[in-house]
């Protein structure tokens, strides 16, 4: 008996060591990732959301890579420096890189891509990222110089943005004016094989990748807006990884032998913007009243199962320039007083647009907000829209924008407040120019944000952002909800997936042991 | 009309209906839902819209016998108020279908010829679309919402009425009493409304009862797709749609509205079938 036990133990040990051997990365295989919504575009000048970035960064890369720790890493640019006065940036490019179509990557390619991104006629919704650049100069085969009108402090962080992605100059040349790229040809670790609209994107490994060839042969991103459907796909093995596990399903998945739940940080705030140009949201008291009317903590605790924090600023604490201004306490009496002061003692009706499957529990949260607003007499009509249509709807100029309230989230993916505040709350960024969808305008905030852009010393910038955040918080152009946390699910046997705080899931280091 | 009333009052009809157990069962369900709809505010233990997040997805208890939904609202109260909405939808859309379909069908069948040809081809076009699809098309044109859903479902039921009434008018107009009425100088309209339609009332009543079930089902379908009643309205289909993502953690939130749809549709169908059997003299004695 004893001998048998010993043999058994030895066998177990042997098996365990086999298991350990199997932990060496393996090449080959196909990885299926279910994400919530479909990218609205994969064209650098057409993208505006994290789902697009998630897919795109596998195919076409930005010059600089922001890694999971928030450090800027060399990518297509290997080195960079700023001139004394901070107005000229010199980028040294990686040599020997080719696009998927064989076109060499060089300074000329960078210039073509940046010029296209900068061209006001191209209408890139994220043009503001590098809008300060006045000229892109080819200073050598592998050297590019960027001239700016003012010293532009967040330049490097902005160049790391997934939307400033490099696509093949051949492809750009072949493009008819006004046409969008539907099949980007980049330098990334994967090539776009096929994009079945409404269903999936299929990527195949780039054998000639300038870095290490990815372990996987194929990566498939499936678009599954229904939260519960994604969970089922993970449980049955139809998907190897899913994004945004509903918090209520976490305990069950934790108990599931073949599934691992991954909690990752995020830099995203979720909010409901007010159309500051439409009655009654033109009145700051009304906007503040709505902020007091919602119990953010209860939403986080119950609907998000604790996965998040009530927002304390329009940006998350991890971002440079953060200042703790809130939260607005839950105080329905005060909300009603403010409404009465503003001349709406009996409330009013308004529309509330929201996406579904895009943010954690977005539709449920919208309905909860509707319910809280009912308490203070506000009748909010919920309008659900499909993601791409929703984004298009929010790009209307002020005259035709027909929404009163809109639910959005914003990840400050450069980890610099400029990206979070300037893009959403500076009055120069009203659509169709940018993403200040609520048409908020405060001259003092504008001035602080402008100055912080062009002032390199960090302590001065911090002070300027503090001013801006205080002003924005007081003016309440949004109904501040919460800072999001990511919950993803991964099957056993899948290794090396990157769950990026930018809410990207990246597969170039991933491998499967089966 | 008098003939119909006489028949309804006659012992024979009620006896026929009572002998059909399933019909009585169906009628009982229909009556229960009617009462629930009429007295929903008095029967509901809670406000159907009152949120209570801390109780989200709590299972059935004495305090809330059907449990709580994803926002902690009382499901029993919501199902009871949902009965109001569903029965209203049934009434309004069947009303639209009957009011539009019956006269058109009668005229089409009575006059025949070119009128009949035109009307019937239009009906063919409408019948070419499955009813629910027709309703979806109408809703997408008019815009989503409860009222438009009722109109859409109503429009979707029109062709059935037209066909049904035309069929019975075609046979009735050949009877001698119609010729007699014409012989004493009655006009076409008088003949249609005084003599033809009252005699085709039986099938119309039966059809309306059955159509009620269809209307409830379609409206729930539209609500489920987000095209009908909008949140937070406690409409059964919409409730089902909103709670289905929690089916693994709080199945009761999906089950109760689902059962409500099932039972009400079943009730109207059984009752409608019983009515048909009782009203159709040809089936008499065969039950």
């Amino acid at each position: 008996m004893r001998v048998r036990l010993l043999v058994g133990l030895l066998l177990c040990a042997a098996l365990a060591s086999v298991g350990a051997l199997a932990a060496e990365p393996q090449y080959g295989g196909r990885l299926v990732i279910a994400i919530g919504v479909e990218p609205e575009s994969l064209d650098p000048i057409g993208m505006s959301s994290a789902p697009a970035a998630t897919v795109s960064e596998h195919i076409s890369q930005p010059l600089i890579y922001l890694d999971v720790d928030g450090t800027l890493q060399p990518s297509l640019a290997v080195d960079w420096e700023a001139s004394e006065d901070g107005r000229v940036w010199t980028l040294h490019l990686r040599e020997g890189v080719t696009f998927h179509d064989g076109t060499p990557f060089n300074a000329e390619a960078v210039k073509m891509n940046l010029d296209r991104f900068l061209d006001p006629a191209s209408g890139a919704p994220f043009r503001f990222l590098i809008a300060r650049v006045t000229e892109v100069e080819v200073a050598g085969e592998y050297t590019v110089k960027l001239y700016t009108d003012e010293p532009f402090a967040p330049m490097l962080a902005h160049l790391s943005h997934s939307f400033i992605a490099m696509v093949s100059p051949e492809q750009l040349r072949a493009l008819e004016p006004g046409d969008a790229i539907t099949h980007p040809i980049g330098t990334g670790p994967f090539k776009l094989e096929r994009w079945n609209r409404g269903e999936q994107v299929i990527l195949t490994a780039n054998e000639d990748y300038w870095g290490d060839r990815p372990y996987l042969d194929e990566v498939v991103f499936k678009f599954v807006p229904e939260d519960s459907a994604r969970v089922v796909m993970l449980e049955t093995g139809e998907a190897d990884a899913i994004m945004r596990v509903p918090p209520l399903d976490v305990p069950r998945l934790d108990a599931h032998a073949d599934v691992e739940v991954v909690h990752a940080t995020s830099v995203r705030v979720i909010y409901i913007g007010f159309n500051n140009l439409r009655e009654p949201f033109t009145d700051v008291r009304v906007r503040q009243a709505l902020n007091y009317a919602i119990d953010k903590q209860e939403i986080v605790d119950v609907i998000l199962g604790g996965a998040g924090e009530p927002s304390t600023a329009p940006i998350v604490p991890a971002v440079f320039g953060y200042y703790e201004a809130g939260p607005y306490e839950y105080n329905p009496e005060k909300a009603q007083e403010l409404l009465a002061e503003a001349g709406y003692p009996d409330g009013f009706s308004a529309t509330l647009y929201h996406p579904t499957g895009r943010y954690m529990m977005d539709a449920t949260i919208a309905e909860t907000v509707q319910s809280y607003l009912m308490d203070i007499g506000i009748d909010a009509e919920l309008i659900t829209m499909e993601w791409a249509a929703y984004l298009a709807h929010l790009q209307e100029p002020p005259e035709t924008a027909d929404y009163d309230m809109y639910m959005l989230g914003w990840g400050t993916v450069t980890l610099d407040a400029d990206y979070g505040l300037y893009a959403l709350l500076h009055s120069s960024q009203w659509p169709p120019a940018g993403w200040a969808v609520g048409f908020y305008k405060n001259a003092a905030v504008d001035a602080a944000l402008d100055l912080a852009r062009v002032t390199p010393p960090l302590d001065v910038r911090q002070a300027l952002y503090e001013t801006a955040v205080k002003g924005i918080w007081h003016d309440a152009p949004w109904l501040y909800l919460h800072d999001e946390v990511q919950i993803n699910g991964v099957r056993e046997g899948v290794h090396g997936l990157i769950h990026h705080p930018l809410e990207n899931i990246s597969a170039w280091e991933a491998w499967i042991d089966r | 009309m008098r003939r119909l009333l006489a028949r309804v009052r006659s012992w024979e009809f009620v006896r026929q209906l009572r002998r059909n157990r399933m019909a009585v069962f169906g009628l009982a369900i229909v009556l229960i839902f009617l009462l629930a709809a009429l007295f929903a505010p008095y029967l509901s233990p809670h406000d159907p819209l009152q949120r209570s997040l801390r109780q989200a997805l709590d299972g059935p208890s004495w305090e809330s016998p059907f449990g709580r939904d994803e926002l902690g609202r009382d499901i029993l109260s919501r199902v009871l108020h949902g009965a109001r909405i569903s029965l209203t939808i049934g009434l309004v859309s069947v009303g639209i279908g009957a009011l539009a379909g019956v006269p058109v069908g009668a005229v089409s069948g009575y006059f025949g010829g070119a009128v009949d040809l035109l009307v019937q081809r239009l009906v063919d076009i409408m019948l070419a679309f499955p009813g629910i699809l027709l309703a979806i098309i109408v809703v997408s044109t008019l815009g989503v919402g409860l009222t438009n859903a009722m109109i859409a479902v109503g429009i979707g039921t029109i062709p059935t009425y037209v066909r049904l009434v035309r069929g019975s008018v075609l046979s009735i107009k050949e009877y001698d009493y119609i010729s007699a009425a014409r012989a004493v100088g009655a006009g076409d309209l008088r003949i249609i409304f005084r003599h033809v339609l009252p005699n085709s009332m039986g099938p119309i009543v039966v059809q309306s009862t059955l159509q009620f079930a269809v209307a409830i089902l379609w409206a729930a379908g539209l609500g489920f797709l987000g095209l009908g009643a909008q949140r937070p309205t406690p409409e059964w289909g919409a409730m089902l749609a909103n709670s289905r993502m929690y089916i693994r953690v709080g199945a009761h939130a999906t089950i109760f509205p689902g059962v409500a749809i099932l039972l009400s549709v079943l009730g109207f169908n059984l009752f409608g079938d019983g009515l048909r059997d009782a009203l159709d003299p040809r089936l008499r004695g065969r039950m």
Side-chain angles (χ1 to χ4, degrees), chain A residues 252-273:
Chain A
R252 206 182 69 250
L253 289 185
D254 271 334
H256 196 293
D258 300 329
V259 168
E260 189 195 353
V261 178
V262 180
H263 297 260
T265 57
S266 169
V267 291
R268 185 177 301 280
V269 288
I270 303 292
Y271 62 92
I272 290 174

Side-chain angles (χ1 to χ4, degrees), chain A residues 115-139:
Chain A
D115 281 348
R116 179 166 181 261
F117 201 87
L118 280 166
D119 183 1
S122 69
F126 280 69
R127 181 175 178 274
F128 70 90
L129 284 171
I130 51 170
R132 288 266 154 183
V133 173
T134 50
E135 199 201 333
V136 182
E137 185 195 273
V138 177

Side-chain angles (χ1 to χ4, degrees), chain A residues 218-376:
Chain A
E218 200 171 282
V219 175
V220 180
F221 285 97
K222 286 187 187 271
F223 321 128
V224 187
E226 190 90 21
D227 287 340
S228 46
R230 285 199 304 278
V231 171
V232 171
M233 287 172 77
L234 184 69
E235 285 175 290
T236 57
E238 196 184 331
D240 300 297
I242 65 170
M243 294 187 85
R244 267 186 304 288
V245 173
L248 283 170
D249 286 303
V250 169
R252 206 182 69 250
L253 289 185
D254 271 334
H256 196 293
D258 300 329
V259 168
E260 189 195 353
V261 178
V262 180
H263 297 260
T265 57
S266 169
V267 291
R268 185 177 301 280
V269 288
I270 303 292
Y271 62 92
I272 290 174
F274 302 124
N275 186 335
N276 287 245
L277 292 180
R278 269 164 86 97
E279 297 280 352
F281 300 105
T282 46
D283 191 323
V284 64
R285 288 168 298 192
V286 170
R287 302 196 300 263
Q288 288 175 342
L290 269 71
N291 272 287
Y292 284 116
I294 312 292
D295 190 344
K296 278 77 64 175
Q297 190 65 51
E298 195 153 73
I299 290 180
V300 167
D301 286 349
V302 177
I303 294 173
L304 296 177
E309 283 291 332
S311 291
T312 49
I315 44 178
V316 302
V319 172
F320 171 77
Y322 166 81
Y323 168 76
E324 185 176 347
Y328 275 95
E329 57 179 319
Y330 174 52
N331 189 342
E333 291 80 28
K334 190 162 182 179
Q336 255 164 342
E337 276 167 35
L338 283 166
L339 276 187
E341 266 178 50
Y344 297 95
D346 304 321
F348 50 84
S349 306
T351 52
L352 167 49
Y353 285 75
H354 69 92
T356 179
R358 172 64 191 91
Y359 308 115
M360 193 93 83
M361 309 300 292
D362 42 18
T364 310
I365 290 173
E367 196 178 351
T368 312
V369 168
Q370 177 192 44
S371 168
Y372 275 109
L373 293 182
M374 215 183 321
D375 295 349
I376 58 165

Side-chain angles (χ1 to χ4, degrees), chain B residues 57-194:
Chain B
L57 293 173
D58 279 0
S61 65
W62 283 113
E63 194 218 345
S64 38
F66 287 6
R68 300 275 178 163
D69 74 358
E70 70 275 11
L71 299 190
R73 296 173 296 207
D74 180 52
I75 294 176
L76 173 60
S77 310
R78 288 177 71 73
V79 168
L80 287 173
H81 279 82
R84 277 192 153 188
I85 294 166
S86 288
L87 294 188
T88 312
I89 292 171
L91 207 62
V92 171
S93 49
V94 166
I96 292 174
L99 284 180
V102 170
V104 172
V107 166
S108 167
Y110 183 80
F111 290 108
V115 179
D116 190 36
L117 192 72
L118 184 71
V119 169
Q120 293 312 313
R121 292 302 78 75
L122 287 176
V123 168
D124 280 340
I125 293 174
M126 286 177 83
L127 282 174
F129 297 97
I132 182 80
L133 202 59
L134 193 63
I136 290 176
I137 295 170
V138 174
V139 164
S140 355
T141 322
L142 296 177
V144 298
L146 193 55
T147 319
N148 290 341
M150 290 190 218
I151 297 173
V153 174
I155 291 177
T157 58
I158 292 176
T160 329
Y161 278 102
V162 175
R163 273 290 149 84
L164 181 82
V165 173
R166 173 179 179 268
S168 74
V169 167
L170 280 180
S171 65
I172 290 170
K173 76 172 181 184
E174 303 302 330
Y175 282 118
D176 289 341
Y177 61 84
I178 302 293
S179 314
R182 195 171 289 135
V184 296
D188 286 333
L189 281 181
R190 186 181 168 83
I191 293 177
I192 291 177
F193 286 101
R194 286 291 302 235

Side-chain angles (χ1 to χ4, degrees), chain B:
Chain B
M1 203 66 200
R2 226 179 300 134
R3 286 175 66 102
L4 178 82
L5 284 177
R7 190 191 274 178
V8 169
R9 280 202 208 98
S10 79
W11 181 241
E12 178 64 15
F13 162 74
V14 179
R15 216 187 47 173
Q16 291 290 343
L17 197 60
R18 274 178 58 186
R19 209 193 280 164
N20 185 343
R21 290 239 176 109
M22 294 313 276
V24 174
F25 179 57
L27 181 63
I29 296 177
V30 168
L31 285 178
I32 289 173
F33 275 97
L34 266 177
L35 290 175
L38 279 174
F39 300 106
Y42 308 102
L43 294 173
S44 299
H46 302 277
D47 178 347
L49 300 183
Q50 184 52 51
R51 158 201 84 247
S52 171
L53 285 184
R54 299 281 161 189
Q55 291 175 290
L57 293 173
D58 279 0
S61 65
W62 283 113
E63 194 218 345
S64 38
F66 287 6
R68 300 275 178 163
D69 74 358
E70 70 275 11
L71 299 190
R73 296 173 296 207
D74 180 52
I75 294 176
L76 173 60
S77 310
R78 288 177 71 73
V79 168
L80 287 173
H81 279 82
R84 277 192 153 188
I85 294 166
S86 288
L87 294 188
T88 312
I89 292 171
L91 207 62
V92 171
S93 49
V94 166
I96 292 174
L99 284 180
V102 170
V104 172
V107 166
S108 167
Y110 183 80
F111 290 108
V115 179
D116 190 36
L117 192 72
L118 184 71
V119 169
Q120 293 312 313
R121 292 302 78 75
L122 287 176
V123 168
D124 280 340
I125 293 174
M126 286 177 83
L127 282 174
F129 297 97
I132 182 80
L133 202 59
L134 193 63
I136 290 176
I137 295 170
V138 174
V139 164
S140 355
T141 322
L142 296 177
V144 298
L146 193 55
T147 319
N148 290 341
M150 290 190 218
I151 297 173
V153 174
I155 291 177
T157 58
I158 292 176
T160 329
Y161 278 102
V162 175
R163 273 290 149 84
L164 181 82
V165 173
R166 173 179 179 268
S168 74
V169 167
L170 280 180
S171 65
I172 290 170
K173 76 172 181 184
E174 303 302 330
Y175 282 118
D176 289 341
Y177 61 84
I178 302 293
S179 314
R182 195 171 289 135
V184 296
D188 286 333
L189 281 181
R190 186 181 168 83
I191 293 177
I192 291 177
F193 286 101
R194 286 291 302 235
H195 302 289
V196 176
L197 276 185
N199 282 296
S200 45
M201 229 37 205
I204 293 174
V205 168
V206 169
Q207 181 61 31
S208 297
T209 318
L210 294 172
Q211 205 65 49
F212 223 92
V214 174
I216 291 175
L217 202 57
W218 285 0
L222 290 177
F224 186 85
L225 295 173
L227 301 170
Q230 295 297 301
R231 292 165 294 164
T233 316
E235 196 272 325
W236 294 337
M239 286 170 72
L240 210 56
N242 287 342
S243 55
R244 75 189 191 279
M245 64 181 283
Y246 308 101
I247 196 162
R248 308 281 290 268
V249 273
H252 62 277
T254 321
I255 290 173
F256 289 109
V259 168
I261 297 173
L262 180 112
L263 279 183
S264 57
V265 171
L266 182 72
F268 276 103
N269 271 325
L270 290 178
F271 181 52
D273 277 346
L275 266 186
R276 182 180 53 207
D277 296 346
L279 285 173
D280 192 338
R282 280 164 298 185
L283 292 175
R284 198 152 290 170
R286 269 200 262 154
M287 276 181 289

Side-chain angles (χ1 to χ4, degrees), chain A residues 326-475:
Chain A
Y328 275 95
E329 57 179 319
Y330 174 52
N331 189 342
E333 291 80 28
K334 190 162 182 179
Q336 255 164 342
E337 276 167 35
L338 283 166
L339 276 187
E341 266 178 50
Y344 297 95
D346 304 321
F348 50 84
S349 306
T351 52
L352 167 49
Y353 285 75
H354 69 92
T356 179
R358 172 64 191 91
Y359 308 115
M360 193 93 83
M361 309 300 292
D362 42 18
T364 310
I365 290 173
E367 196 178 351
T368 312
V369 168
Q370 177 192 44
S371 168
Y372 275 109
L373 293 182
M374 215 183 321
D375 295 349
I376 58 165
I378 296 172
D379 178 17
E381 183 193 345
L382 295 182
I383 300 168
T384 318
M385 288 185 89
E386 181 270 326
W387 181 240
Y390 181 58
L391 286 181
H393 193 76
L394 294 181
Q395 278 295 287
E396 294 283 337
E399 309 81 57
T400 51
D402 64 352
Y403 44 85
D404 295 319
M405 295 183 266
Y406 57 95
M407 183 188 209
L408 271 186
W410 188 264
T412 302
V413 299
T414 60
L415 300 179
D416 185 299
D418 179 71
Y419 179 85
L421 302 181
Y422 189 86
L424 301 183
L425 296 157
H426 191 283
S427 64
S428 69
Q429 297 301 308
W430 289 11
W435 283 100
V437 183
F439 308 112
Y440 167 66
K441 183 177 183 134
N442 175 332
V445 170
D446 278 358
L449 292 178
D450 278 330
L451 202 53
R453 293 202 111 187
V454 296
T455 317
L458 291 183
D459 51 337
V460 184
R461 294 189 72 215
Q462 177 69 42
L464 286 166
Y465 284 129
E466 197 174 308
T467 312
V469 168
K470 277 181 187 162
I472 293 165
W473 196 262
H474 169 268
D475 290 344

